[in-house]
Amino acid sequence: MAKLSTVNRNNKRQKLVAKYFEKRKNLHKIISNYSLDEDDRAKAREQLQKLPRDSSAVRLRNRCELTGRPRGVYSKFGLGRNKLRDMAMSGKIPGIIKASW
């Protein structure tokens, strides 16, 4: 089980990313538009730098929904490999069966 503080920190980051997503997207669009004046692009870069660091999507970490484990997470299910296996073996995930040949 992951520390509760790290899980909460990641949840806080998810909220910030969702809050600032459109603003960051528009600023990136301005920055990458080379037909605009350099001053406008520089202002957009400054505005982007003033946003909270945790509002950037690259600071998020995929974590297991049940345990908070940071590694071995299947993004399709949102579960770590251990919990995915346990739930599949007990039949709680429809369509998933253990391979045997």
Side-chain angles (χ1 to χ4, degrees), residues 6 21 27 37 39 46 50-51 53 71-72 88 99:
T6 57
F21 177 75
L27 288 173
D37 188 32
D39 294 334
E46 288 175 11
K50 287 180 182 176
L51 294 179
R53 280 189 180 179
R71 296 177 184 239

Side-chain angles (χ1 to χ4, degrees), residues 24-65:
R24 292 183 73 88
K25 183 177 157 186
N26 292 335
L27 288 173
H28 280 294
K29 211 178 277 187
I30 292 170
I31 291 168
S32 63
N33 187 355
Y34 290 104
S35 64
L36 292 176
D37 188 32
E38 184 61 36
D39 294 334
D40 296 334
R41 293 174 52 229
K43 287 178 186 174
R45 276 194 294 271
E46 288 175 11
Q47 289 176 353
L48 186 65
Q49 289 172 356
K50 287 180 182 176
L51 294 179
R53 280 189 180 179
D54 286 342
S55 67
S56 176
V58 297
R59 292 177 67 96
L60 290 177
R61 179 78 183 185
N62 286 339
R63 290 188 172 271
C64 176
E65 291 293 323

Side-chain angles (χ1 to χ4, degrees), residues 66-78:
L66 300 177
T67 62
R69 188 179 204 283
R71 296 177 184 239
V73 177
Y74 286 84
S75 59
K76 183 174 182 180
F77 302 103

Side-chain angles (χ1 to χ4, degrees), residues 9-25:
R9 186 183 321 137
N10 201 48
N11 291 339
K12 182 181 173 184
R13 285 179 180 162
Q14 285 177 342
K15 290 175 187 172
L16 276 174
V17 167
K19 180 179 178 181
Y20 289 102
F21 177 75
E22 286 298 321
K23 189 169 190 173
R24 292 183 73 88
K25 183 177 157 186

